[in-house]
Amino acid sequence: MKNDLNFTDFLKDVFSTFDKKVENSGLVSICVEIPCIDLFHLYELFINKYQFSSFWEESDGISYIALEKCKYVTLDGPKRFEVAKDFNSENFKSLINLTNQSHISSLSKIIYLFSFSENLNNKYLSLDVPSLEAILPKILIIKSDNNCWLRINGHVEGKSSLRTLIEEIWAIRNQVINSDSELEKLSSLKNSFDFLIIDDFLNSLETSKINLKQVINRGIQLVEKGILDKIVLANRVKIKLKNKLDLLGILKRLKNNQPNTCRYVWKRNSKDILFGASPEKLFSFTKPNLILEALAGTISTDSNFDKLLRSSKDLKEHNYVIKYLIKCLEVSKITNYKKSDIKVNSFGDISHLQTHIFSTVENICPFELLKNLHPSPAVCGYPKNEALDWINTLESFPRGNYASPMGWVDASGNASFLVAIRGARYIEENIEFTAGSGIVSGSVLEKEIDEIKLKFESIVKQIFSAKNPR
């Protein structure tokens, strides 16, 4: 049921289900299977047609393109995980599916982006991002293995508005099927992109080093004095762009050069775009399998991995994360878990110590789990609250969405959330890069600064590179 589906039969089936399930009006969802096409091609086709869009692509797992908002909530301030939970529950309770899709990957999804911390007494509040953005997309394209689905959500008042919604999903389906010819037209339009050399970024990084050294030194002192066991401190560099951001080209390079990552985009509008390639999955839950990930301890991929596996400093940093994740499971009354062996996993130019924690649970609230897990010692420190206070004191900028949870929850309660690192934010013709390093006993100033530089370069090199990588 891909190319050979007949519109008349499809319309008839949806109307029939509507008569059975809906009295006259309501929030409905319609899904149709489509040919499996590269998501980059589809995103290129649709990205400029809708103000809001989000992109999520994993090599092994569910990927999606979300376009426009059907229902949404934006929050500044406290209780963001509670608000997200209520929004999730209310919308999935009222959402009526008018098509039968047996594949679990095709289920309706609500997508979420949180800020690193709640916007309470924030001296940078006017420059910050919302504490929570939760969106039931109007249009959702889902890919899993070699299967693809197109889903549309909307509020309808009777069959007239339902037919309009059906015609819209059918028009988008036809655009997908005929996407090759559409993309040929787009490729004929010349775009002027900004291709700065990496030296421009390195000069800006050098300028920020004086303050960075002071911040890292203070972090080392806090650990040496026993005030903290670990703290992750970050640096931010801003670059001015003169021309258009080549977002699709950047995403393609990230996929080619960092295939083990999850490529992500949260495009609020054409002037505010968060994007990157995260190596770190906070957790994934596909009933009944729950997987948490500890990712901490860093080395350049061209180095000797045995050195990382023997590094007392990196092992100590990594073990704080494992200890914290297990504690979070126990808080959720989950005690039947297993730990994988620690290994080194490579994500392009950077490699990390990685440990997975597996559990089997009948059900779990993803938002309660998020509330416990975030921020983990991998991006914050240990103990958490004390480290968070020091981060707010020492860092000269708001973290915003850096190192924050981004992900999705589906209608059955399955969920997946990454940590928004190894990325950048395009904002008002500037690009903001943020990267950090974990400080524990044994940390050395210059090595921490080199680690931050390495993390910066992993994303910077994908932006300031050769033209038209097609």
Side-chain angles (χ1 to χ4, degrees), residues 73-233:
V73 64
T74 302
L75 176 72
D76 279 310
K79 298 189 180 297
R80 54 195 175 143
F81 296 114
E82 291 85 349
V83 171
K85 180 181 177 181
D86 289 344
F87 178 83
N88 197 80
S89 176
E90 289 167 9
N91 281 284
F92 279 137
K93 186 178 180 180
S94 60
L95 188 64
I96 304 166
N97 274 294
L98 299 182
T99 45
N100 293 320
Q101 292 295 328
S102 58
H103 200 295
I104 187 174
S105 300
S106 70
L107 291 172
S108 301
K109 292 170 180 60
I110 297 177
I111 58 176
Y112 296 88
L113 177 63
F114 297 86
S115 61
F116 180 77
S117 56
E118 292 181 336
N119 296 332
L120 294 173
N121 301 318
N122 192 327
K123 57 185 175 180
Y124 304 107
L125 182 58
S126 62
L127 301 174
D128 218 343
V129 297
S131 297
L132 161 68
E133 294 165 84
I135 296 170
L136 174 66
K138 181 178 183 183
I139 301 158
L140 189 65
I141 299 169
I142 307 163
K143 182 176 182 179
S144 178
D145 297 324
N146 293 318
N147 301 299
C148 280
W149 299 268
L150 170 64
R151 183 174 287 280
I152 192 166
N153 302 303
H155 184 83
V156 297
E157 295 281 347
K159 285 190 175 178
S160 176
S161 59
L162 175 60
R163 183 183 179 106
T164 301
L165 198 67
I166 296 170
E167 288 174 346
E168 185 173 357
I169 191 175
W170 197 260
I172 296 169
R173 172 189 176 272
N174 289 339
Q175 288 180 66
V176 170
I177 292 171
N178 301 310
S179 59
D180 286 345
S181 59
E182 290 282 338
L183 288 170
E184 282 179 16
K185 295 176 186 176
L186 286 175
S187 65
S188 66
L189 301 174
K190 293 184 178 179
N191 289 314
S192 178
F193 296 120
D194 218 11
F195 297 98
L196 303 180
I197 57 174
I198 200 166
D199 287 350
D200 295 320
F201 170 81
L202 295 176
N203 290 336
S204 298
L205 178 60
E206 195 65 31
T207 302
S208 71
K209 264 192 178 180
I210 295 175
N211 179 65
L212 178 60
K213 285 182 178 180
Q214 293 174 346
V215 171
I216 298 295
N217 265 327
R218 185 70 179 110
I220 291 173
Q221 290 169 8
L222 291 168
V223 170
E224 287 177 345
K225 291 179 179 178
I227 297 172
L228 297 171
D229 293 318
K230 177 182 178 180
I231 185 169
V232 179
L233 291 170

Side-chain angles (χ1 to χ4, degrees), residues 30 89 129 148 161 163 174 258 275 286 376 384 406 446 451:
I30 304 168
S89 176
V129 297
C148 280
S161 59
R163 183 183 179 106
N174 289 339
Q258 301 176 20
F275 64 92
T286 304
S376 83
K384 179 167 76 173
M406 173 182 167
E446 289 304 325
E451 180 178 322

Side-chain angles (χ1 to χ4, degrees), residues 7-23:
F7 175 74
T8 303
D9 291 339
F10 182 65
L11 181 71
K12 182 180 177 181
D13 288 344
V14 175
F15 271 9
S16 175
T17 307
F18 180 81
D19 288 337
K20 294 173 185 175
K21 289 188 174 182
V22 186
E23 289 188 10

Side-chain angles (χ1 to χ4, degrees), residues 262-317:
C262 180
R263 280 71 63 188
Y264 64 90
V265 176
W266 193 275
K267 176 178 171 276
R268 296 182 177 98
N269 52 62
S270 62
K271 294 185 178 181
D272 188 352
I273 308 171
L274 178 75
F275 64 92
S278 177
E280 184 174 359
K281 185 67 71 71
L282 190 59
F283 75 90
S284 62
F285 179 52
T286 304
K287 293 180 178 180
N289 300 310
L290 175 65
I291 305 174
L292 276 60
E293 180 179 87
L295 197 78
T298 304
I299 199 168
S300 173
T301 297
D302 58 14
S303 300
N304 187 332
F305 289 176
D306 288 339
K307 182 180 177 182
L308 184 61
L309 287 165
R310 293 194 304 265
S311 167
S312 59
K313 182 264 180 187
D314 289 284
L315 288 169
K316 189 181 299 180
E317 184 182 346

